[in-house]
Structures are given as C-alpha cells and as structure tokens.
Amino acid sequence: MLAKLHTFSLFGIDALPVEVEVDVSGASIPKTVLVGLPEAAVRESTHRIARAMVNSGFVRPQDRIVINLAPAELPKQAASFDLPIALGILAASRQFASERLDAYAVVGELALDGSTRPTKGALSMAMAAAAQPDRRGILVPSASAAEAAVVEGVDVISVASLAQAAGFLAGEIEIEPTPSRLDDLFREFSQYDVDFADVRGQEMAKRAVIIAAAGGHNLLMIGPPGAGKTMLAKRVPTILPTLSAAESIETTRIYSAMGRLAPGQPLLARRPFRSPHHTISNAGLVGGGSTPTPGEISLSHNGVLFLDELAEFNRTTLEVLRQPLEDGRVTISRALNATTFPANFMLIVSLNPCPCGYRNDPRRSCHCTPPQIERYMSKISGPLLDRIDIHIEVPAVPYRELSSQTSGTDSHQMREQVLAARALQKTRFAGSRVRQNARMTTRQVRQFCQLNDTCRRVLENSVQELGLSARAHDKVLRVARTIADLENSSTIETSHLNEAVNYRMLDRDLWA
C-alpha cells in the first residue's frame, strides 16, 4: 500500500516543500530502501524510526519498505523527517487510516521511545505551510509548537509522541491548535537590562549615537582603552524603535533555522546585538558552508553588529562586509545554487588609535613608533571606512565625571529623540521600500537633501579639502538630513551640514 505525507526541508533559512512517499509491499526478506538524496542524518533515521514504532506499541512491518523523498534533486539533511516517515510507514502498513494526511504537514525528530524532539526551523516551516492553500495546519513537536504558533493563518498542532500524532491523524483524538501569543511574548521579552544612564560622561559620543540610531547610520568610535566604547555600543538597541511583528518574525526565523533561540523564548522581541570575536572567519561573519548557513551579519539583521578592536580583525574578513553594507543582504553562491540571507544591520566598530591604545591621550604617553601605528591602521581599508557614516573620538572620562552623582542622558530621553526622527522618515518614505535616511537611494538623496547656496559652498569646500569620495559626499548629506530631522527642520541648514562634515574628519586625520 502507498501512503503520501507532506513535510518540509530547510535550505538556508527557507523551508522547501517535500513529499514523503512510503510503499510497503510483501517480500520474503524485510528491507528498507530510502531514496531522494538523503544525507547521513536522514539515512540513519530508519533505525530510530523502527525502534520508536515498536516502543510506541506499533508493529514494524516485516516487508519491503521503499521511502521516497521528493523532489529527488533536493538534498535532505535534517532529522525532522523522522515523524513523517514513521507515520507514512504506519499508514502504508494499515496500522491506522486517516483522511487528514493531505490537510496537514508533519515535521519532527523522534527519540527511541517514540517521543518527539524539537526541530530547527519550525518557524520557517510554519510560514511555508501557511503559504500553501491546501494545507490546513502543521504537526510539530511540543517543544517547537510555541515557536511555530507565532505564524497566523495556520493551525499548529503540538504532538508529544508518535502515538499522539497517529491518533490525531486517525481522528481518534482532537488536539486544539497552539494559540499565537504575540502580544504576551512582546511584553515578556522586550525589556532591556542596560541603560545609557550607566555611561558616565561621553555626552558628545551619546549625541553621535542618537544621530546614528535615528537615521540607521554606521558608526566608528576611536579612543583609548576603558573610555566606554563597548558600553556605548551595547546600549544602542535600547534606543532603537521596538521591533515590529514582521521584523521580529523575520529575525526570529534566522535564529530558528540555526537552533539559536533561547529555551522558553519562541520569539525575539528585542533587537539583536552581536559582537563576534576578532578571530572570526569569513564564513563565520557573512555565512557559508557546503550547505550555506547564515553568519553574524544575518544574525544581526534588524539589529546591531558590533566589531570591537576593529584593527585586530583579519583584513580580508573585514573586506567581505563591503557588499552587505551597501545591499542589506548577502548572497552565498555555490556550484549548484545560490542562497540569499537578509543582512540589514547597523554596524558599530571601535578601535584604539594605536597598538598601545594611548596615542593623543594627555594622561598617558604613547611609545608606538610611526611605522607601528601605520601598520596597525593599515588593516582597515579606505573603502570600508568610506561606508561608515559617522566617525567620532571617545576620549578618556575625567575623574570628576566618573565620581559625579548626577546621571547623564538616559536611554528613555535618547529614544524619544530617535522615535521622533524615525516618525518623520516614515512619513517621508511612505510608499517606498526605504525606511531610514541611511538607506536613501541616490535619487532620494537629490530629492530630500537639497541645499541652499551657503550649504552648497560649505559642502564644496569640504569635498575639496577632505578629498571626500562620491559615496562619502552622499553619506554626509544623509547624516545632515538626520540631524535636521532631530531638530524637526524641513530643510538642511548650515549647522546641520557642518556637524555632518565634522563626523567625516577623523579618518582624514588618522589615516592620512
């Protein structure tokens, strides 16, 4: 007898539909044949499935079993095929009859006792099931049900064991769909444990952070060790707008596909903050592998990627950031296919001004020689610096500010300014795919960043004296537009432009 079930195979962060066909026919010697380009984890599943069936009270057919995973050219490499294959064998051997096999997709790994184990990418699979008009719902392991239930428009059936899944499909038991708790999850997981009030002094740096957050601009901080660069960077997510439901699901599915969701947290309600170590490889940063998987820049999607001690990173590793910074996505190409991952993140980098860290520090003497400093700074290329909108110096904090009992600007005050500027940008870019000033196209820059004669002369002098590239020229205009938004000004004034130009001067002093 032939049985057909529907499931999904994870490729990158996308779930692709797979049909599981199981044929059980009489034979003198029992044999199980698995075809359809299964990888090792799927080939080994036949042994797990056999014991799971027996330990769940079912009978393993002593016949010839042929299992086909279609389409045949798609590699199948996850243990999530256990449950659909087991149910297919039971249905094909007439151990249960069901009229629901075509209405529900099935995913899940089985333990030897027949219980289900969590599945990577349950969110993507639920999204794929919701996109199929013939699918009423999806059966998922109990541990993954809350994650899959985030998707609306599809019934997520939580099953704890093979026997329970078979009982539901046979109509012997009814299981209520797992409810979507989006509002509750946002309330529970959207709070931050850090605040900008923790950072003493550094009001000028906080101003630059507000501008960067308001317009989605990339930020470079340079200063001596212990000045507060890392503290500032870690608190940036606290002043960014709250993740929308669509952004949250888009980000969560990346973590879901990689099995990175924290236990008990089926949804990301806070903007991600990623800070990889400087020994990271190219593939670790942008993604890769024989079967492409997301890297740190995709895990930072809709959040912040912080590269501390930038000059310690391998130069070739840093260079792979150039294209994703411009496009907001990264494409990993292999011989037979190409996979695109989202990578719309805010880049924050920090570094010391020299190997010892105390160049230009009035309190400490620097013993680095010019060749050492040159070698240290040369690890960061001009094209990468050109893609960073704002460059600021973060000096050491004086003792009087460290010991002061007066709190500085806190996250709430900074966030109010950021939200007001973002509201103006939302109105400005209505009907466009652009949401932030930093992502304005060249045509939009010409439309929304028009200058009066005085501003034009200021910008012309700056381009000539600082040697700004065409990209840097547009980035100055984008930053000036954000500063004007923070001042609730419809036009870019000279003060806005001067401040934006000042944020491009540091790299000319240090990398000249």
Side-chain angles (χ1 to χ4, degrees):
M1 180 179 172
L2 176 67
K4 293 183 179 181
L5 289 90
H6 303 279
T7 186
F8 298 97
S9 178
L10 205 61
F11 188 77
I13 62 172
D14 298 316
L16 304 179
V18 172
E19 189 172 52
V20 178
E21 300 175 324
V22 181
D23 181 78
V24 177
S25 55
S28 58
I29 301 177
K31 186 177 183 180
T32 301
V33 180
L34 182 59
V35 296
L37 212 58
E39 301 289 344
V42 184
R43 288 197 302 271
E44 293 172 352
S45 67
T46 54
H47 304 293
R48 285 195 302 273
I49 292 167
R51 299 318 305 163
M53 286 192 297
V54 172
N55 292 329
S56 298
F58 297 103
V59 177
R60 180 185 183 278
Q62 299 300 308
D63 297 306
R64 180 181 176 86
I65 304 172
V66 178
I67 304 162
N68 179 41
L69 306 177
E73 70 274 6
L74 178 70
K76 325 296 189 307
Q77 58 175 354
S80 61
F81 292 99
D82 288 8
L83 187 56
I85 290 175
L87 290 169
I89 294 174
L90 295 177
S93 59
R94 295 186 174 89
Q95 296 190 52
F96 80 92
S98 173
E99 296 180 355
R100 294 178 171 179
L101 292 182
D102 198 50
Y104 289 88
V106 182
V107 297
E109 179 183 347
L110 289 175
L112 295 183
D113 62 357
S115 60
T116 58
R117 286 181 169 151
T119 299
K120 286 184 180 180
L123 178 55
S124 293
M125 294 176 183
M127 292 171 69
Q132 294 181 330
D134 297 336
R135 251 13 105 237
R136 178 182 170 187
I138 181 171
L139 274 67
V140 300
S142 298
S144 302
E147 175 189 330
V150 168
V151 181
E152 297 177 344
V154 64
D155 291 346
V156 175
I157 306 300
S158 169
V159 292
S161 65
L162 172 60
Q164 189 179 20
F168 172 80
L169 291 176
E172 296 173 358
I173 59 173
E174 293 298 326
I175 302 174
E176 286 296 317
T178 304
S180 176
R181 299 173 47 243
L182 272 178
D183 293 339
D184 294 339
L185 292 171
F186 269 101
R187 277 194 298 270
E188 185 178 353
F189 296 112
S190 61
Q191 303 303 313
Y192 291 94
D193 300 325
V194 293
D195 194 284
F196 269 103
D198 304 332
V199 182
R200 298 293 182 179
Q202 304 298 8
E203 292 300 317
M204 294 296 292
K206 287 183 182 180
R207 164 69 177 174
V209 167
I210 290 172
I211 296 169
H217 302 288
N218 301 320
L219 174 67
L220 179 147
M221 297 183 286
I222 187 166
K229 301 185 293 297
T230 303
M231 284 187 73
L232 287 164
K234 285 183 175 180
R235 285 153 178 77
V236 169
T238 67
I239 65 172
L240 293 173
T242 304
L243 279 173
S244 66
E247 287 177 328
S248 178
I249 291 173
E250 190 178 29
T251 307
T252 302
R253 68 193 294 246
I254 300 171
Y255 283 74
S256 169
M258 298 189 69
R260 295 283 190 93
L261 286 176
Q265 184 178 352
L267 183 75
L268 291 179
R270 294 185 294 194
R271 293 193 178 270
F273 178 87
R274 303 293 300 180
S275 181
H277 193 260
H278 60 77
T279 56
I280 192 171
S281 65
N282 295 10
L285 189 61
V286 300
S290 55
T291 300
T293 55
E296 288 290 338
I297 63 173
S298 295
L299 291 170
S300 307
H301 182 57
N302 289 323
V304 175
L305 175 65
F306 177 51
L307 302 183
D308 199 7
E309 304 296 346
L310 186 68
E312 300 298 335
F313 282 78
N314 187 297
R315 178 164 178 154
T316 57
T317 302
L318 293 177
E319 293 308 296
V320 299
L321 283 173
R322 286 156 57 172
Q323 177 256 336
L325 282 173
E326 292 290 312
D327 299 342
R329 62 182 181 275
V330 58
T331 300
I332 310 296
S333 298
R334 293 293 178 263
L336 298 178
N337 51 58
T339 307
T340 299
F341 299 124
N344 184 13
F345 58 92
M346 177 179 170
L347 176 66
I348 301 179
V349 302
S350 73
L351 72 158
N352 298 326
C354 65
C356 78
Y358 296 105
R359 180 186 177 194
N360 298 330
D361 189 336
R363 303 181 306 174
R364 300 281 294 269
S365 57
C366 171
H367 300 290
C368 301
T369 63
Q372 285 177 320
I373 296 173
E374 217 170 283
R375 200 160 46 246
Y376 181 76
M377 289 299 187
S378 67
K379 294 182 180 180
I380 306 159
S381 70
L384 179 61
L385 283 171
D386 219 29
R387 287 168 167 82
I388 301 177
D389 312 47
I390 298 174
H391 309 153
I392 61 166
E393 189 169 6
V394 183
V397 183
Y399 175 75
R400 66 178 180 276
E401 293 185 9
L402 283 174
S403 58
S404 173
Q405 297 302 312
T406 305
S407 297
T409 310
D410 61 24
S411 291
H412 177 70
Q413 296 168 318
M414 297 170 70
R415 192 167 183 269
E416 285 184 338
Q417 298 180 60
V418 170
L419 292 180
R422 288 285 182 106
L424 292 175
Q425 293 167 56
K426 184 177 181 180
T427 303
R428 177 180 302 128
F429 302 124
S432 166
R433 297 174 67 181
V434 174
R435 291 290 178 267
Q436 304 161 1
N437 288 336
R439 295 289 177 184
M440 275 193 284
T441 64
T442 304
R443 184 176 298 176
Q444 288 172 325
V445 169
R446 300 292 175 267
Q447 179 182 355
F448 298 119
C449 301
Q450 296 181 8
L451 305 177
N452 57 35
D453 292 339
T454 305
C455 288
R456 260 194 295 272
R457 285 194 295 272
V458 169
L459 186 57
E460 181 183 358
N461 293 335
S462 301
V463 169
Q464 291 175 351
E465 291 176 11
L466 298 177
L468 298 179
S469 67
R471 181 187 288 113
H473 166 275
D474 283 1
K475 285 193 176 293
V476 166
L477 289 175
R478 292 184 180 104
V479 173
R481 180 66 265 171
T482 300
I483 296 171
D485 288 344
L486 287 167
E487 303 294 333
N488 199 22
S489 172
S490 59
T491 59
I492 297 175
E493 304 296 338
T494 309
S495 59
H496 306 148
L497 190 62
N498 280 329
E499 185 176 359
V501 169
N502 283 334
Y503 290 132
R504 298 295 309 191
M505 293 182 69
L506 193 62
D507 61 326
R508 267 55 190 180
D509 296 336
L510 296 171
W511 281 273

